[in-house]
Amino acid sequence: MTALPLIFSPEVAQARRHGSPVVALESTIITHGMPFPDNLDTAWSVEEAVRAAGAIPATIAVLEGKLHIGLSEGELEALATAHGVAKLSRADLAVCMAQGRTGATTVAATMIAARAAGIACFATGGIGGVHRGAEHSFDISADLHELAQTSVSVVCAGAKAILDLPKTLEVLETLGVPVIAYAQDSLPAFWSATSPLPAPLRLDDADGIARAHLMRAALGLPGGQLIANPIPVADEIPYDEIAPIITRAIDVADAQGITGKALTPFLLDRIHQLTGGRSLEANISLVRNNARLAAKIANRITTLSQNA
Ligand code: PSU
Ligand code: MN
């Protein structure tokens, strides 16, 4: 049988030996979600936020066919400056690895890697979801199906508001994925701390989220939890303010015929331009905020499972 080529960074390898908490981080946000050099600065500062909150960061990517769990500074920098890196989801992860190629992992692929590495908790910015017009395009991110089958708790800032949020919630409910707002009733919407939609579930601390994670395992339920952590209000772009900008960006994407994997990166980039960089600052703030919460959850999961 083919052995899985996993490579742990030294600090992740040490955390595994000591049973210390680890937080997985994705790499598509570095290669496709932000421009250089903000992507690299963000990758570093997000790793620092995880360490400061008492866990070890494991940024995940495929480098020359190997699945890396934790990247060195040099590897991070190489990814952040590379052009034309593949964006890997469940469908293309194995092909990329078998061919010895390099690719960045989306939420779906990062969850697969995290589970393979025994990591329970993962922080990102926003997950993929049901795109607007999906009734015509059928564009529904593989992230949603991954959440239904891979047992990792994913901390995000809600689904990106470029998506159809009500349809995204419906699909998550159909798939049996708990969508848990952190310490508020409203569903956060990425750049905005609140949205007009109520969140299906609410938990107010990391301990409660960790207990729910472990209870799913005790029930034998496959699949993860989606934790929707609102962006700090000081950094948000209110929902009513960002909504027309999103509509403009989607109109441009439609006019240019942008579809498939290219759509999410295109829209993020357009919105960064249309907001004069403000949405990028918000994006950086929310990822760091998610990293802090994920580290707390990872700590509680570790402590509760060691005392079980
Ligand atoms: N969140 C961000 N920036 C990103 C993404 C999420 O703040 O670039 C990426 C994630 O990797 C997510 C992917 O899994 O976008 C979703 O892409 P798609 O809609 O093509 O499934
Ligand atoms: Mn898609």
Side-chain angles (χ1 to χ4, degrees):
M1 210 180 97
T2 300
L4 181 61
L6 278 183
I7 297 193
F8 294 97
S9 67
E11 67 174 334
V12 173
Q14 190 185 34
R16 285 163 59 83
R17 283 194 299 274
H18 295 174
S20 325
V22 177
V23 170
L25 301 166
E26 62 151 309
S27 45
T28 295
I29 192 168
I30 301 171
T31 54
H32 294 73
M34 290 182 191
F36 181 81
D38 305 271
N39 59 349
L40 183 57
D41 294 344
T42 304
W44 276 330
S45 80
V46 169
E47 289 202 346
E48 270 311 305
V50 171
R51 291 188 193 99
I56 296 300
T59 303
I60 289 173
V62 177
L63 304 181
E64 296 175 349
K66 307 276 193 295
L67 188 51
H68 283 251
I69 314 294
L71 299 179
S72 69
E73 283 196 15
E75 288 161 345
L76 262 185
E77 190 168 345
L79 256 194
T81 51
H83 291 283
V85 176
K87 171 181 164 185
L88 304 175
S89 188
R90 166 171 278 257
D92 28 31
L93 179 62
V95 171
C96 176
M97 290 174 63
Q99 291 194 313
R101 293 170 54 186
T102 291
T105 51
T106 59
V107 168
T110 306
M111 289 180 74
I112 293 169
R115 189 178 55 178
I119 301 172
C121 195
F122 160 29
T124 181
I127 59 156
V130 181
H131 279 275
R132 299 188 193 180
E135 60 275 29
H136 303 294
S137 69
F138 275 49
D139 189 347
I140 301 176
S141 176
D143 292 350
L144 302 185
H145 289 271
E146 203 59 54
L147 281 159
Q149 56 185 315
T150 300
S151 305
V152 174
S153 279
V154 179
V155 182
C156 68
K160 279 184 280 265
I162 55 176
L163 301 166
D164 185 320
L165 295 182
K167 287 197 185 74
T168 299
L169 282 183
E170 287 295 346
V171 170
L172 286 166
E173 173 169 280
T174 302
L175 294 173
V177 178
V179 179
I180 303 167
Y182 181 62
Q184 68 178 30
D185 294 325
S186 155
L187 182 77
F190 201 66
W191 300 285
S192 320
T194 56
S195 74
L197 298 170
L201 295 162
R202 165 181 174 159
L203 288 171
D204 284 21
D205 56 26
D207 180 68
I209 296 166
R211 286 177 191 277
H213 175 102
L214 295 169
M215 192 59 77
R216 281 186 73 82
L219 282 165
L221 289 176
Q225 309 191 108
L226 186 64
I227 318 305
N229 182 29
I231 180 174
V233 173
D235 297 323
E236 77 158 344
I237 307 177
Y239 196 81
D240 292 339
E241 206 176 312
I242 194 86
I245 295 170
I246 293 169
T247 309
R248 275 172 67 193
I250 291 173
D251 286 346
V252 178
D254 283 346
Q256 296 189 16
I258 312 280
T259 57
K261 275 179 186 285
L263 182 58
T264 297
F266 178 90
L267 291 175
L268 287 173
D269 182 50
R270 268 288 152 159
I271 293 164
H272 292 163
Q273 289 172 26
L274 289 169
T275 58
R278 195 170 151 213
S279 71
L280 181 57
E281 279 169 39
N283 200 340
I284 295 168
S285 161
L286 66 86
V287 185
R288 288 168 49 91
N289 191 45
N290 295 341
R292 283 188 287 269
L293 178 57
K296 287 187 203 160
I297 297 167
N299 260 294
R300 288 308 298 156
I301 291 175
T302 301
T303 308
L304 290 167
S305 15
Q306 284 167 355
N307 295 340

